[in-house]
Amino acid sequence: MISKSKKHMVLTTFMLPAGYHKDSWRMPGSRADELGNLDFVADLTLMAEEAKLDAVFFGDIVHANTVLRGDIKMNGFYEPMTVLSALAARTKNIGLIGTMSTSFSEPYNVARQLCGLDHMSNGRAGWNIVTSSDGFQNYGVADVPNPVVRYRRATEFVDVVQKLWDSWGDDAVIVDKENSEYVDRSKLRAINHQGEFFNVQGPINMPRSPQGRPVLVQAGSSGPGMDLGSSVADGIYTAQPFKEPSVEFYAKFKAMAAEKGRNPDDVKVIPGILPILGDTEKEANDLADELANYVHLENGRSQVAADLKMDLSELDFSDRIPAAWFSDDPKLGSRYQIYRKKSVDMGMTLRELIVDLARSTGHQWMAGTPSQVADRMVDWFDSKACDGFNLNAPFNPGGFKLICDKLVPELQNRGYFRSEYEGTTLRDNLGLSRPGA
């Protein structure tokens, strides 16, 4: 195994076959009729693997509210564990990261599912930890727990899962045929966890993960989210559309990890970026305009209204959302504040905000040539604004093909990304140390 170069970015992709740009599925050649099918998502994943990306990342939404508002982008119709298990059989090197909520499952189930995926993929599994803020009514919960309680539960949840993963020694499997001992039972141990939310005896019922533990990623810029992420996550997904705040976020997160006795280099900060690419700047801008024309404005109005928890029905598309309608309450979340900045400080009209959010959902986006986009990515990386990027394909399959065929080679030619995988596990390829049992 060769070591991951410190000059190499982390590059993953948010796997949304409908395209990250809202309504891009309306474009010719989108394969929208195949959404939910394995062949389509497998083609995209193999494209990502051919480009040597670190991982594909599947989000998860457990309710149909986005579909009811006319937005299929964030749903995608793929349940992470089932699709990642299928993709494990069709891929060899790329990491497979899936979202599972600590609010809608139990630690023992999650530990088994992710450890099983790690075995089936030979060490390529990752877990995106979320606490969820919606969908509780589908699980028989009438009232959404407040964020403090959700994160307290999540912290204990992850602790139990890690204890279960560590309940088998690395050398527990001995396959002693002569003495009829497949497992050295002295290398298994009950965890006997008794906490505020969970009582779990353990041990888990399968051998330890090929990479020690599946990789943990987390997305949360609130106080409780940053506390959880800096405590346990190997990767931090974050929405950072502006460079200087991203530099500040990066430094703060690394410092928080160091204060908890962790190696800051083992915590990768990965903001999202949506690149709209063309061979010339004009070609890229024309493509951005074409994508904007596919956005359904009334659906966009309802989506922005839902995100901001505002009634926008009386505004014309040429109006700005009045500054007085926004709140400074940090509890409303980092993305709310990004939308506020774009509307109030940058003066975007409702139409402009709808299109901007259709492109980015709070992340940065850029239209340009592969060289121009690479310039920005390298500048952020060298300025310690990030350790890499989560690539959001504006449309599929064509937009992702442009990323893989033109942007990634540009980064490879500059020495900022690998040309071959360094190892066989996701931890190897991210340059992360293997945790002991």
Side-chain angles (χ1 to χ4, degrees), residues 75-309:
N75 183 286
F77 312 125
Y78 291 93
E79 189 285 315
M81 287 302 105
T82 50
V83 69
L84 290 175
S85 299
L87 290 173
R90 296 203 180 190
T91 56
K92 293 182 179 179
N93 298 106
I94 196 160
L96 305 169
I97 300 174
T99 299
M100 298 185 79
S101 175
T102 60
S103 295
F104 303 137
S105 188
E106 295 295 322
Y108 196 82
N109 288 338
V110 168
R112 291 185 67 229
Q113 288 173 298
L114 284 160
C115 190
L117 176 62
D118 210 50
H119 281 287
M120 293 301 103
S121 64
N122 294 315
R124 295 183 285 129
W127 174 24
N128 178 44
I129 305 159
V130 299
T131 67
S132 300
S133 59
D134 204 349
F136 283 82
Q137 66 278 9
N138 292 329
Y139 291 85
V141 179
D143 298 319
V144 178
N146 69 55
V148 173
V149 173
R150 294 204 310 270
Y151 274 103
R152 204 163 68 234
R153 175 187 166 97
T155 299
E156 185 181 341
F157 193 113
V158 176
D159 178 52
V160 175
V161 168
Q162 290 180 315
K163 287 177 179 176
L164 288 166
W165 285 338
D166 293 345
S167 64
W168 285 56
D170 283 319
D171 55 351
V173 177
I174 56 174
V175 195
D176 184 348
K177 295 181 180 179
E178 182 177 346
N179 294 304
S180 190
E181 293 286 353
Y182 191 89
V183 174
D184 181 347
R185 283 166 282 182
S186 70
K187 302 293 178 65
L188 277 63
R189 52 196 167 274
I191 68 170
N192 294 321
H193 176 90
Q194 295 185 347
E196 179 183 2
F197 298 96
F198 306 108
N199 294 319
V200 181
Q201 178 182 334
I204 198 173
N205 63 343
M206 60 180 66
R208 195 158 192 248
S209 157
Q211 53 182 339
R213 298 173 187 164
V215 168
L216 301 182
V217 301
Q218 190 263 346
S221 299
S222 65
M226 292 181 71
D227 183 59
L228 175 62
S230 60
S231 299
V232 302
D234 304 299
I236 305 298
Y237 284 127
T238 176
Q240 299 290 339
F242 309 110
K243 179 183 171 183
E244 289 310 313
S246 191
V247 171
E248 295 171 6
F249 179 86
Y250 181 93
K252 183 176 181 179
F253 223 106
K254 297 283 184 171
M256 289 177 69
E259 288 169 1
K260 294 173 180 178
R262 304 185 66 201
N263 181 354
D265 291 339
D266 280 351
V267 185
K268 309 298 184 182
V269 177
I270 314 167
I273 185 171
L274 182 139
I276 301 175
L277 299 168
D279 290 331
T280 65
E281 188 173 351
K282 180 181 184 303
E283 186 178 309
N285 286 326
D286 288 346
L287 179 55
D289 290 342
E290 179 185 354
L291 285 162
N293 288 334
Y294 285 110
V295 175
H296 190 287
L297 291 179
E298 283 300 337
N299 286 345
R301 183 202 297 271
S302 67
Q303 291 153 19
V304 172
D307 286 346
L308 297 179
K309 297 179 173 57

Side-chain angles (χ1 to χ4, degrees), residues 414-430:
R414 298 185 189 198
Y416 279 87
F417 194 60
R418 70 168 65 88
S419 56
E420 294 294 339
Y421 285 104
E422 293 85 358
T424 60
T425 72
L426 180 53
R427 284 190 179 277
D428 290 340
N429 295 322
L430 291 175

Side-chain angles (χ1 to χ4, degrees), residues 1-11 54 265 268 381-382 387-388 411-412 414-423 427-432:
M1 185 188 77
I2 58 176
S3 298
K4 176 182 173 65
S5 169
K6 290 189 176 181
K7 193 181 177 183
H8 286 174
M9 298 177 182
V10 173
L11 292 180
D54 289 286
D265 291 339
K268 309 298 184 182
F381 182 77
D382 286 345
D387 293 304
L411 294 168
Q412 290 170 328
R414 298 185 189 198
Y416 279 87
F417 194 60
R418 70 168 65 88
S419 56
E420 294 294 339
Y421 285 104
E422 293 85 358
R427 284 190 179 277
D428 290 340
N429 295 322
L430 291 175
L432 297 172

Side-chain angles (χ1 to χ4, degrees), residues 316-357:
D316 290 332
F317 291 117
S318 58
D319 292 339
R320 297 178 183 176
I321 302 175
W325 291 15
F326 286 92
S327 168
D328 292 321
D329 185 352
K331 294 179 181 178
L332 292 171
S334 57
R335 283 201 170 135
Y336 178 95
Q337 299 305 330
I338 289 170
Y339 303 160
R340 182 185 184 280
K341 178 180 178 67
K342 290 185 174 184
S343 183
V344 176
D345 299 343
M346 298 173 64
M348 286 187 177
T349 65
L350 178 58
R351 181 192 301 272
E352 291 169 336
L353 191 63
I354 287 169
V355 171
D356 185 82
L357 298 187

